[in-house]
Amino acid sequence: MHGSHSFLSASPHILVIDDSPEDIRSLLLLLRQQSWRLSVASDARQGYQRAQALRPDLILLDVRMPGMDGFTLCRLLREAPVTQLLPIIFLTSSGALDERLEGLTLGGVDYVLKSCAPEEVLARIRIHLQLAQRGNAALVPAQAESVSTDQVVLRAAMRLIGQSLDSMPSLAEIARKVGTHDKRLSAIFREQLGMTVFAYVREERLRRGQELLADSEMSVQDISELIGFRSACNFSTAFRERLGVTPSQFRGQLQGMEQ
């Protein structure tokens, strides 16, 4: 064991998660020449376990891996307290814009092509280690709360649902994007929240609807589209069933209180 882990250690710990390390052999050789600790995982699940156990200072994460891809793993790492602040640099063989944007939207700090010169990747790693050291020193608790894998999957699914209200993926697709399958995801929602995934989606839509009615000037029609109802009429019916008033009455009551 190397003393107590922290960003204070002189030699940062880098975790590389890639199912084909031979693609980045020259990069790994260069990393091994630094005074850093280097760990390698060859698939996403092993990568997740190592990230939780080793608490590295930075993760280099391949996007395209069989089973669970890098985007799914990033969603899970962002919900686990131990790894939520870690800089994640995506490594990819594809420079497709939509992939780069997805990686950055999920909280990756950088996006590097595998064909990139190893020296450039090294320079980027140094930059992000320095930024993380400045930014996270005060934020990382000595004892991050421990959270079960089910809770991490649940949090990742809840965040994904919250971001996809207007065009909700299928249950199978949500499950795939958080690294599980539909039956398991349904069981996790029932065990942790006491409701089905569908019921949670409905609750979240109505909760967001209330927020938008209260905090924006948007029309009921626009709000209903934004939160994924087929029509303003459907939204009004569901809203009234849940809250006993129509969206317009709800907004009117709030405005009455403010006057």
Side-chain angles (χ1 to χ4, degrees):
M1 289 292 288
H2 296 250
S4 68
H5 158 82
S6 89
F7 32 75
L8 301 173
S9 58
S11 60
H13 188 168
I14 310 292
L15 172 61
V16 178
I17 305 170
D18 193 326
D19 68 307
S20 47
E22 62 279 3
D23 291 354
I24 50 166
R25 222 173 87 220
S26 51
L27 173 60
L28 291 174
L29 282 171
L30 188 61
L31 290 175
R32 288 202 170 95
Q33 288 164 13
Q34 313 308 309
S35 60
W36 299 345
R37 294 159 59 201
L38 184 66
S39 303
V40 180
S42 56
D43 67 57
R45 290 188 191 281
Q46 185 186 52
Y48 178 82
Q49 286 154 359
R50 291 199 174 170
Q52 303 305 309
L54 301 173
R55 301 192 177 197
D57 297 284
L58 181 141
I59 294 176
L60 276 177
L61 177 55
D62 188 18
V63 172
R64 295 187 174 178
M65 295 184 282
M68 188 197 290
D69 68 17
F71 291 151
T72 296
L73 177 55
C74 185
R75 281 191 189 93
L76 299 178
L77 292 171
R78 282 289 168 256
E79 301 302 337
V82 167
T83 50
Q84 67 187 33
L85 297 171
L86 279 186
I88 294 173
I89 296 179
F90 283 109
L91 273 174
T92 181
S93 46
S94 156
L97 177 63
D98 57 341
E99 279 200 5
R100 289 209 306 275
L101 290 174
E102 181 165 9
L104 295 168
T105 308
L106 288 173
V109 294
D110 211 338
Y111 208 95
V112 177
L113 286 172
K114 284 188 172 180
S115 54
C116 207
E119 294 76 16
E120 184 185 334
V121 183
L122 186 65
R124 287 172 184 240
I125 291 171
R126 285 188 198 285
I127 290 167
H128 289 296
L129 284 171
Q130 284 170 348
L131 289 172
Q133 206 160 350
R134 273 184 235 147
N136 293 352
L139 296 174
V140 179
Q143 289 296 313
E145 56 171 318
S146 68
V147 167
S148 71
T149 309
D150 280 0
Q151 285 169 315
V152 169
V153 168
L154 176 70
R155 289 178 184 189
M158 287 164 71
R159 189 181 300 271
L160 181 64
I161 286 166
Q163 291 164 343
S164 319
L165 290 178
D166 58 338
S167 55
M168 190 60 57
S170 66
L171 178 60
E173 182 68 1
I174 294 170
R176 187 188 67 74
K177 287 188 164 191
V178 296
T180 187
H181 50 84
D182 46 5
K183 286 196 174 66
R184 182 78 204 109
L185 188 64
S186 297
I188 290 172
F189 268 76
R190 278 198 304 275
E191 288 158 17
Q192 303 276 341
L193 299 180
M195 62 173 81
T196 64
V197 179
F198 179 74
Y200 176 79
V201 168
R202 198 174 168 83
E203 286 293 306
E204 186 59 15
R205 282 181 164 145
L206 291 172
R207 188 190 66 73
R208 185 69 57 82
Q210 278 178 270
E211 268 179 16
L212 290 167
L213 287 165
D215 302 337
S216 79
E217 301 289 315
M218 289 172 70
S219 70
V220 172
Q221 174 70 46
D222 285 349
I223 291 173
S224 54
E225 277 174 29
L226 196 64
I227 58 176
F229 280 91
R230 283 203 196 89
S231 68
C233 183
N234 286 11
F235 171 45
S236 296
T237 305
F239 195 91
R240 194 174 61 237
E241 281 171 7
R242 183 78 181 74
L243 291 139
V245 289
T246 65
S248 307
Q249 288 167 333
F250 175 80
R251 183 174 259 171
Q253 288 170 355
L254 286 177
Q255 285 163 349
M257 284 183 206
E258 284 165 12
Q259 282 164 12

